[in-house]
Amino acid sequence: MAGPQLRIIGTMSVGFEHLDLKEIKKRNIQVGYTPDVLTDATAELTVALLLATSRRLFEAVHEVKSGGWGSWQPLWMCGKGLKGTVVGVVGAGRIGQEVIKRLIPFKVAKFLYCDRNRKKEVDALGAEHTTRDSLLAESDFVVVTCASTPETQKMFNSVLFSKMKSDAVFVNTSRGNIVDQEALYDALQSGKIGAAGIDVADPEPLPTDSPLLTLKNCVVLPHIGSAVLVTRAAMSELTALNILAGLAGEVLPSALNVSFFAALMVFLSTIAIVIGPTPPGTGVINLAFLCTPAKLRSHY
């Protein structure tokens, strides 16, 4: 526990689930964070991970190093291409939108996205707003870029994986706790989905004896979404500026609205949010029922 003299917290991240917002609000501590500056780097990494997973790049490198590269065979190391496919983005915020922009040149047939609300800026990219279940059923690639909240924790479980295509590629660069990793292992090992690429895990670092690391169709990266030199420099600078401004009693360049997010966390831990049965694409939110956190069920 930090002492009573603590006035400002600077986190070198866009995520803030590692902060005790309730305690921070209670003690009236300011928080500075680093959104926006890591958007491009994370979007690039998401696309790289998608391609590495779908085109089996890590498997191919292993074959070269282990002597498995022999004479040419028609179907050896064949993977899944992007042209003519459907890409679904779960959580179309800053990073999700930049991922869509970077995938457009690959001649994707259709982009789908699910979010609490329909977004004009995402529609302008040619993406279609839909329900989560429809997105999972139609998508060849499912890309997760939503925030970690009580609503989304362990959202991707055995039920959701069973709704996906058997050859679907699942990519997560958001937060590890959004995925039930045992369910992900089962889905990959049993063939319920085709492959997965994850840059985040729960816990981090992922233990070396994790079953996921035994699978050829699972690519695991050590949370390097923002690991670009210029990006980390920008994050460091913004964090320092936030702290200096806080100590000087000035407005933070990038302040987290602690009161808002603390209230939101409490709100999301006591209700279930259901989109439907409204007309597809309307994005209407129906507060369906009150329940305890243990019984929380969320559906986009």
Side-chain angles (χ1 to χ4, degrees):
M1 177 69 71
Q5 75 279 6
L6 182 62
R7 296 160 50 193
I8 173 72
I9 295 173
T11 179
M12 195 170 144
S13 65
V14 64
F16 48 83
E17 70 279 354
H18 55 291
L19 300 177
D20 187 342
L21 296 184
K22 184 178 180 180
E23 181 66 21
I24 290 170
K25 178 185 177 184
K26 177 182 176 183
R27 297 173 60 176
N28 198 29
I29 298 168
Q30 294 189 87
V31 176
Y33 70 142
T34 60
D36 298 321
V37 294
L38 51 72
T39 298
D40 287 326
T42 305
E44 289 174 4
L45 188 280
T46 303
V47 173
L49 181 56
L50 184 153
L51 291 170
T53 304
S54 63
R55 293 298 303 270
R56 303 171 64 183
L57 299 190
F58 286 88
E59 286 184 71
V61 170
H62 174 74
E63 291 297 309
V64 173
K65 293 182 176 181
S66 64
W69 185 7
S71 58
W72 183 81
Q73 300 176 44
L75 299 180
W76 186 66
M77 285 290 106
C78 284
K80 189 181 185 75
L82 275 163
K83 183 179 178 181
T85 62
V86 177
V87 175
V89 177
V90 180
R94 290 182 292 261
I95 295 172
Q97 291 171 38
E98 291 301 321
V99 169
I100 292 174
K101 292 177 184 177
R102 284 160 173 77
L103 290 178
I104 289 173
F106 287 89
K107 300 179 181 178
V108 171
K110 182 165 64 172
F111 289 99
L112 302 175
Y113 76 97
C114 64
D115 213 300
R116 290 199 189 96
N117 299 298
R118 186 169 186 168
K119 296 183 176 181
K120 293 181 179 179
E121 60 271 29
V122 187
D123 294 344
L125 297 175
E128 299 177 17
H129 183 258
T130 187
T131 63
R132 187 180 61 188
D133 284 356
S134 294
L135 182 149
L136 297 178
E138 290 188 55
S139 298
D140 299 292
F141 296 87
V142 175
V143 180
V144 183
T145 55
C146 61
S148 172
T149 68
E151 177 191 17
T152 60
Q153 288 182 17
K154 297 292 187 293
M155 176 173 66
F156 276 91
N157 53 26
S158 58
V159 175
L160 290 198
F161 287 126
S162 69
K163 297 177 183 290
M164 294 168 59
K165 292 183 177 181
S166 61
D167 63 344
V169 175
F170 175 78
V171 177
N172 181 23
T173 55
S174 53
R175 286 295 184 268
N177 62 9
I178 291 174
V179 177
D180 181 336
Q181 288 177 177
E182 290 185 10
L184 175 59
Y185 172 81
D186 177 69
L188 290 166
Q189 191 271 336
S190 64
K192 292 178 183 176
I193 64 174
I198 59 175
D199 182 47
V200 287
D202 186 21
E204 292 185 356
L206 187 68
T208 55
D209 61 352
S210 169
L212 289 175
L213 299 179
T214 66
L215 299 173
K216 289 185 177 181
N217 59 343
C218 185
V219 175
V220 182
L221 299 181
H223 204 152
I224 57 171
S226 65
V228 174
L229 289 174
V230 293
T231 300
R232 291 288 171 86
M235 293 169 69
S236 300
E237 180 179 359
L238 183 53
T239 300
L241 291 174
N242 280 331
I243 293 172
L244 291 173
L247 293 175
E250 301 171 353
V251 176
L252 273 59
S254 184
L256 180 69
N257 189 334
V258 174
S259 295
F260 171 78
F261 283 109
L264 180 63
M265 293 301 106
V266 173
F267 177 73
L268 291 177
S269 68
T270 57
I271 68 166
I273 296 179
V274 179
I275 294 186
T278 57
T282 60
V284 176
I285 299 178
N286 298 324
L287 302 185
F289 55 89
L290 294 177
C291 62
T292 65
K295 295 180 180 179
L296 180 62
R297 297 294 183 270
S298 304
H299 303 280
Y300 288 108

